[in-house]
Amino acid sequence: MLVLVLIGLGVVASSGLRIVRQYERGLVFRFGRVHGAPRQPGLSVIIPGVDHMRKVNMQIVTLPIPGQDGITRDNVTVRVDAVVYFKVIDPVQAVVSVENYRYAVGQVAQTSLRSIIGKSDLDSLLSNREELNQGLELMIDSPAVGWGIHIERVEIKEVSLPEAMKRAMSRQAEAERERRGRVISAEGELQASEKLSQAAARMADTPGALQLRLLETVVEVAAEKNSTLVLPFPVELLRFLESNTSKDSEGGQALRQAIESARGAVESLERGSGSGTGEAAGTGSAGRQTPDATGAADGGGEAMNTGDPVEQR
């Protein structure tokens, strides 16, 4: 009989033992009222049939917020989902003040997320994530403090846009890149025109530089092994030859007359006069000077006789 009594006492005593883990706190309810401070981790003894212990997890809880559909301040329909990190700092309030603190935090987070969407524009949702996260954290933390809950962090995970809006944003970005490219090209043209203007002024002061540049162009074109070579004959070269030709020699006189004839034809073409008139003037001058130019070949003017003699009519 005594043995049975001892066994019964052992069973009753063992039923009153509770183990509280390191990350938990134990709340003891005696006849429905919270009795004493929360039990710390370790072995705890309660009175069977009288006390009831409820364990509260003190770890940080990761609570995902389902995607919320909303309209931004600039009238764009978006879908935003986020995640909330929180933990219990007061086990008594978390159990007594709210029925289910996890569900309550989730509902407050969804409502706050929809409010943030309505107060922000699309650019803020896409670029200013840190500011929105802080504002969302304050909105959730305000009611959660009275429940013994502390919001550690809130993160907006993804912002989903309609396909039409994605295409519109893609076109906008492409147009912006084209605009920047055209501006850069225009700036390059402006800088190049300034440098060309300086080069033209320098060549105007030194006519020989233009001839050197012409020769360099010929060398560059010839390096490409083209079958056809178009070589312009500048008027400045005629002026150079005229100024450096002796006025007393017979060949020099013939050369100057040929230069004057060529210059007259070029000036006629530049003034935009009739092509027939310009050709007639050039042809007549060349025809009149052909015998002299041929006779002056012995005097050194052979280099200028580049065409066939033209018959004078």
Side-chain angles (χ1 to χ4, degrees):
M1 188 65 181
L2 182 59
V3 174
L4 294 176
V5 173
L6 293 175
I7 292 174
L9 291 175
V11 171
V12 172
S14 61
S15 63
L17 297 178
R18 297 289 187 274
I19 296 177
V20 181
R21 296 181 178 88
Q22 181 66 37
Y23 55 86
E24 295 176 337
R25 298 294 183 270
L27 293 182
V28 177
F29 292 88
R30 179 168 296 176
F31 298 111
R33 296 174 61 91
V34 177
H35 178 70
R39 302 294 177 88
Q40 298 298 318
L43 184 62
S44 180
V45 180
I46 61 174
I47 301 175
V50 177
D51 296 340
H52 172 71
M53 177 178 287
R54 180 174 176 178
K55 299 177 183 178
V56 181
N57 194 332
M58 304 296 291
Q59 292 176 316
I60 296 178
V61 180
T62 302
L63 181 65
I65 304 176
Q68 302 297 312
D69 295 326
I71 301 177
T72 60
R73 189 170 57 184
D74 50 353
N75 298 325
V76 178
T77 303
V78 295
R79 183 179 180 86
V80 183
D81 56 355
V83 60
V84 180
Y85 302 91
F86 69 93
K87 68 177 181 179
V88 178
I89 57 176
D90 191 342
V92 176
Q93 290 185 355
V95 174
V96 175
S97 299
V98 63
E99 180 182 3
N100 187 341
Y101 63 87
R102 296 174 66 96
Y103 179 76
V105 171
Q107 294 299 312
V108 171
Q110 294 180 27
T111 305
S112 301
L113 182 58
R114 286 194 294 268
S115 178
I116 284 291
I117 293 174
K119 295 179 181 179
S120 305
D121 52 12
L122 182 60
D123 293 337
S124 298
L125 287 176
L126 296 177
S127 59
N128 297 331
R129 292 287 185 87
E130 293 296 331
E131 296 180 2
L132 294 179
N133 291 338
Q134 294 176 1
L136 189 58
E137 179 180 347
L138 293 175
M139 293 179 66
I140 301 174
D141 191 58
S142 297
V145 171
W147 303 337
I149 307 297
H150 175 65
I151 305 300
E152 292 287 338
R153 190 174 181 84
V154 181
E155 292 285 346
I156 295 178
K157 293 170 58 178
E158 184 180 1
V159 179
S160 301
L161 299 175
E163 293 297 328
M165 179 57 63
K166 291 181 180 179
R167 290 193 295 268
M169 294 176 64
S170 177
R171 291 195 299 268
Q172 179 184 2
E174 183 178 358
E176 179 65 23
R177 288 193 295 270
E178 290 181 358
R179 184 190 67 82
R180 289 199 298 256
R182 291 178 180 177
V183 170
I184 294 173
S185 178
E187 291 178 353
E189 291 292 338
L190 177 60
Q191 295 177 3
S193 64
E194 293 177 354
K195 296 299 181 181
L196 289 175
S197 177
Q198 296 176 5
R202 184 67 61 84
M203 289 182 179
D205 297 337
T206 56
L210 182 61
Q211 311 307 321
L212 294 177
R213 184 68 184 122
L214 177 61
L215 294 177
E216 290 178 0
T217 304
V218 173
V219 172
E220 292 176 359
V221 174
E224 298 180 359
K225 299 180 180 180
N226 294 326
S227 59
T228 303
L229 178 61
V230 179
L231 181 62
F233 192 77
V235 180
E236 287 77 5
L237 182 58
L238 298 177
R239 296 173 180 172
F240 176 77
L241 294 175
E242 180 182 7
S243 62
N244 289 276
T245 303
S246 175
K247 298 181 180 179
D248 299 332
S249 63
E250 182 180 359
Q253 294 178 359
L255 181 60
R256 283 195 300 275
Q257 292 177 359
I259 291 173
E260 291 176 357
S261 300
R263 183 187 303 170
V266 171
E267 291 177 354
S268 299
L269 293 176
E270 290 179 351
R271 285 195 301 268
S273 59
S275 59
T277 304
E279 291 177 358
T283 304
S285 299
R288 288 192 299 271
Q289 297 301 330
T290 299
D292 295 339
T294 305
D298 298 334
E302 184 178 359
M304 295 303 298
N305 188 11
T306 59
D308 295 334
V310 181
E311 181 179 357
Q312 182 177 3
R313 295 182 181 178

